[in-house]
Amino acid sequence: MNVKPIDIATVHELEERCYKVRHDLLTLVYNIGMGHLGGELSMVEAAVAMYYRYMNYNVLDPHNPERDRFILSKGHCSETLYCIFSNLGAYSLQYMIDNFECLDKSKFGMHTNRKYCPQIEVSAGSLGHGLPISVGMALAGRKQKAKWRVTVMTGDGELDEGSNWEAIMAAGHYQLGNLVLIVDKNGLQMTGPTSEIMNHEPLDKRLEAFGWDVRVIEDGNDMLQVCQVLDTLPEADPVTRRKPIAILAKTEKGHDVDFMAGQVKWHGGGINEEDYNRAIESLEKNWKERKSKWQ
Amino acid sequence: MAVKTTFDFDQMLSNAREAYGEELKRMADDGLDFVFTYTDNVAPSSSAGKLVKAYPERCFNFGIAEPGQVGASCGMALAGEVVYAQVMGPFLSLRSADQIHTDIAYNDVNVRLIGTHAGVTAGGGPTHNCIADLALYRAIPNLTVVVPADAAQCCKAVRQSLTFQGPMVIRIDRAGSPAVYADNDYEFEFGKAIETLPGTDVTIVSAGSPVYWSMMGAKKLKEEYGISARVIDMHTIKPMDTDMLLKCARETGNIVTVEEHSINGGLGGAVAEFLLEAGFHGKFKRIGLPDEFAVLGETDAIYAYYGMDPDSIAKTVANLLK
């Protein structure tokens, strides 16, 4: 994956994608009555950047063996991925609404299922599973001398689960040069601040102590900063042993919808008509303001 | 009789744990492609250890970390590999239950979990006993559960599993149970039980090492009680060969199960559930570990203590048929 250094026009394009993904996400959650908007809104920039710029991936050829893999370990935030797949041309928004958790006709679920939706790499939902699975994928890539990269996104609250630390240890031990971990570090879990519920800090030092190369995005909802850090990723190398790369993206839960931003109560659930209208209004206002500063 | 067993021959020792490792090594030597994962329980001197030494690029040690191993095995399978994962049975089933359910079975991947040290064969007390695994596996969709009767059958299962589609558990003893089959010249198919001894008064349904104990018990039943007992090797616990169960119920009228597992939720439970729903009215008895943490002692002594040795099996069956 050789990418040219990020230019501002590309950043703006990606920002517009993020706006559209968030718009669709709110509409999807409003229509189906379930979601995890807080974490779904916080992860948008990193996920959009990966799918639109930093992966060899064709949404219409999702099982191509040469593809880069993106594993969403925080499987409850599936709807952000669905909306990215939709924006990439795989599904219409209406198709997703019509085929969401409808018994044996389901194509989409609140938690990811790889058999229902072929763009999903791993059926997930129970936390602490994506990272160990990704370590296995990267090891298989080493055996196969494959050029693809495995990128796994976890939440930060999710890092409470011990299975992650087994995998963090194993990735450091095997020195996987084809594995990238992105932590969507929004600082809140279901019932409160991660720092109060189970503190992981200093997370960078802890990962470094396990043999990882840690890179920090100070504002993970700022596309320019996201791209500047992702631009530093070296080519995936299945064979040469080097430190696996962890990207700590400091994000905001509920980002870009003002009354959801940084609010624990928007972790999960549906959204009523009044709140949906307020959310869209807030999102559109923020978008107009951002665009007005472009020139 | 369809198959030749060791029943009429001198006892031959059989070590499934060593034999399956040798089979994997032979498969690799034959040019077959697969990956092997393990925790820190594969000795370099063991046959699996020799596989690791000969094929380091496809063997991965995960230390004392079963969930990490099972999760990673899923990832390897998602990347196109067939994965053999050796894990000590109690820790596979209890510690990695979440990964077996969600990573292996829900993702429906080609991982063969080799659970060693079935029942109380590990020694060392209840922390190392593997008595609840079948109860767990039976309740997990997509999972095929195989309990080979001896080392040679274990090798057949391991080799055949290479091209099997979907997740599978292969449950084996620690070591050293007698061979059931006299040679390899019999048909082995997942889900198709094997009659290892003919009989007309009662059927003993069993899997794993207890198949041999059941055959010895059947021999005593004939010699000492004049009872003709049929023995069935139900090597695939899930999906179970219910046609064979119906046939035996119809032809012998009475059913006994013997298993190296808690009597709750294992082979006996599966057979009972099926037979009751099928309208079975004959006599029925489960033989296995009772609902308690097992006493401490040598493996054979513990099994005898709980009435799972051939003499006790014969007595229990004879009493049932009185």
Side-chain angles (χ1 to χ4, degrees):
Chain A
M1 180 191 62
N2 264 322
V3 287
K4 285 185 287 187
I6 192 72
D7 59 86
I8 205 66
T10 307
V11 169
H12 290 165
E13 271 174 38
L14 293 171
E15 284 179 342
E16 186 157 13
R17 292 292 176 194
C18 292
Y19 164 69
K20 286 181 174 162
V21 165
R22 283 194 171 91
H23 209 285
D24 289 351
L25 175 64
L26 289 166
T27 306
L28 180 63
V29 171
Y30 168 63
N31 276 279
I32 62 180
M34 64 184 100
H36 291 85
L37 281 170
E40 292 180 318
L41 289 165
S42 68
M43 64 177 273
V44 170
E45 276 73 17
V48 162
M50 288 306 301
Y51 275 98
Y52 278 87
R53 182 171 158 86
Y54 296 97
M55 291 204 298
N56 169 29
Y57 187 80
N58 177 354
V59 76
L60 300 178
D61 185 16
H63 292 145
N64 187 325
E66 304 301 318
R67 74 192 182 283
D68 288 325
R69 274 83 168 157
F70 184 89
I71 286 81
L72 184 68
S73 189
K74 38 182 266 177
H76 58 287
C77 295
S78 62
E79 289 142 343
T80 298
L81 285 198
Y82 302 150
C83 291
I84 291 173
F85 302 152
S86 168
N87 275 270
L88 285 166
Y91 309 104
S92 71
L93 182 56
Q94 192 58 47
Y95 180 83
M96 296 195 289
I97 292 167
D98 292 344
N99 291 280
F100 205 99
E101 298 212 351
C102 44
L103 302 178
D104 60 344
K105 294 180 179 60
S106 299
K107 296 285 180 195
F108 306 92
M110 189 169 73
H111 296 112
T112 55
N113 182 307
R114 73 183 191 93
K115 289 194 158 178
Y116 296 156
C117 176
Q119 288 79 15
I120 293 294
E121 298 284 355
V122 174
S123 303
S126 176
L127 297 173
H129 287 255
L131 186 45
I133 289 172
S134 300
V135 167
M137 276 187 188
L139 284 168
R142 173 169 286 176
K143 170 179 172 281
Q144 297 165 8
K145 297 185 174 54
K147 288 188 176 144
W148 39 263
R149 186 200 302 279
V150 184
T151 302
V152 52
M153 176 181 278
T154 69
D156 52 351
E158 180 183 358
L159 295 179
D160 297 350
E161 292 281 4
S163 52
N164 287 313
W165 294 94
E166 292 185 6
I168 288 166
M169 198 159 23
H173 173 80
Y174 283 108
Q175 296 183 285
L176 296 170
N178 52 357
L179 178 68
V180 172
L181 162 66
I182 299 176
V183 182
D184 180 38
K185 206 160 167 288
N186 61 35
L188 294 177
Q189 50 199 96
M190 194 166 81
T191 62
T194 302
S195 58
E196 290 176 16
I197 289 166
M198 185 54 63
N199 182 40
H200 308 132
E201 298 301 337
L203 185 57
D204 52 349
K205 295 282 183 292
R206 291 185 182 190
L207 288 166
E208 281 166 8
F210 278 75
W212 286 62
D213 172 353
V214 180
R215 302 172 189 195
V216 177
I217 306 176
E218 285 301 331
D219 182 352
N221 295 122
D222 179 325
M223 186 55 87
L224 177 61
Q225 291 189 36
V226 169
C227 291
Q228 281 169 337
V229 171
L230 292 178
D231 272 2
T232 68
L233 287 178
E235 287 270 328
D237 187 334
V239 177
T240 311
R241 284 168 182 265
R242 67 176 188 223
K243 291 181 176 183
I245 295 170
I247 295 173
L248 308 184
K250 295 184 191 171
T251 58
E252 179 181 50
K253 211 158 174 170
H255 184 75
D256 246 358
V257 177
D258 291 350
F259 66 94
M260 293 183 184
Q263 299 299 314
V264 164
K265 73 173 221 177
W266 286 101
H267 171 85
I271 180 170
N272 64 29
E273 187 170 0
E274 185 190 343
D275 286 337
Y276 169 68
N277 289 332
R278 283 169 68 207
I280 291 292
E281 194 181 323
S282 174
L283 184 70
E284 290 179 348
K285 176 179 70 72
N286 288 338
W287 175 238
K288 272 182 199 151
E289 278 176 17
R290 190 166 307 131
K291 262 180 87 170
S292 70
K293 292 176 191 164
W294 280 0
Q295 286 304 326
Chain B
M1 200 166 99
V3 295
K4 277 187 258 177
T5 68
T6 55
F7 182 63
D8 295 314
F9 301 84
D10 289 340
Q11 178 174 308
M12 296 191 296
L13 266 185
S14 133
N15 183 333
R17 197 156 62 110
E18 276 299 294
Y20 107 86
E22 286 164 14
E23 186 68 14
L24 275 185
K25 169 90 166 35
R26 274 193 294 272
M27 286 160 61
D29 291 343
D30 291 345
L32 300 173
D33 191 25
F34 61 87
V35 168
F36 180 63
T37 69
Y38 58 110
T39 43
D40 184 30
N41 64 354
V42 171
S45 58
S46 70
S47 59
K50 287 170 188 151
L51 170 80
V52 171
K53 196 172 175 200
Y55 297 94
E57 73 289 347
R58 61 162 85 174
C59 298
F60 302 99
N61 192 342
F62 286 84
I64 308 169
E66 295 81 5
Q69 177 202 0
V70 175
S73 299
C74 165
M76 293 171 182
L78 286 170
E81 303 289 343
V82 175
V83 185
Y84 290 85
Q86 178 177 326
V87 197
M88 197 164 165
F91 312 132
L92 171 65
S93 54
L94 300 177
R95 201 164 218 134
S96 308
D98 188 15
Q99 282 72 22
I100 297 172
H101 171 279
T102 300
D103 299 353
I104 305 298
Y106 186 46
N107 277 284
D108 201 8
V109 290
N110 289 327
V111 174
R112 287 75 183 91
L113 299 162
I114 314 285
T116 63
H117 301 74
V120 302
T121 60
T127 56
H128 286 59
N129 291 347
C130 186
I131 62 167
D133 57 331
L134 295 178
L136 170 76
Y137 302 152
R138 280 187 52 216
I140 296 182
N142 291 348
L143 198 58
T144 295
V145 184
V146 178
V147 184
D150 64 12
Q153 192 181 78
C154 183
C155 293
K156 279 176 177 277
V158 165
R159 191 172 277 262
Q160 285 189 27
S161 69
L162 187 71
T163 51
F164 184 84
Q165 282 306 306
M168 178 182 284
V169 171
I170 299 176
R171 182 193 205 240
I172 60 181
D173 280 349
R174 181 183 191 183
S177 44
V180 168
Y181 297 94
D183 56 43
N184 251 338
D185 191 24
Y186 68 97
E187 198 168 323
F188 176 83
E189 188 182 337
F190 295 125
K192 291 274 178 241
I194 300 167
E195 182 183 307
T196 60
L197 199 67
T200 53
D201 299 330
V202 59
T203 301
I204 306 176
V205 180
S206 194
S209 298
V211 174
Y212 189 82
W213 315 339
S214 300
M215 288 167 61
M216 295 299 288
K219 187 175 181 181
K220 281 192 186 302
L221 279 167
K222 175 153 277 180
E223 289 168 359
E224 295 177 19
Y225 302 91
I227 291 171
S228 167
R230 179 182 299 183
V231 177
I232 298 296
D233 171 10
M234 189 63 77
H235 53 72
T236 307
I237 306 281
K238 181 176 179 277
M240 182 166 278
D241 187 349
T242 51
D243 288 346
M244 177 66 97
L245 283 182
L246 279 179
K247 179 171 180 284
C248 294
R250 202 167 47 237
E251 293 175 358
T252 70
N254 306 295
I255 305 278
V256 174
T257 60
V258 186
E259 63 191 305
E260 222 177 346
H261 185 272
S262 165
I263 55 164
N264 294 326
L267 172 68
V271 172
E273 288 165 17
F274 172 75
L275 288 178
L276 187 63
E277 287 189 338
F280 175 71
H281 294 298
K283 289 184 172 173
F284 180 83
K285 178 77 183 167
R286 292 170 301 162
I287 297 173
L289 294 162
D291 186 18
E292 67 180 47
F293 288 111
V295 293
L296 307 183
E298 294 285 335
T299 296
D300 288 347
I302 295 173
Y303 284 144
Y305 180 84
Y306 288 121
M308 297 159 68
D309 61 304
D311 284 358
S312 304
I313 291 170
K315 271 186 207 152
T316 301
V317 174
N319 281 334
L320 182 73
L321 265 54
K322 267 182 189 165

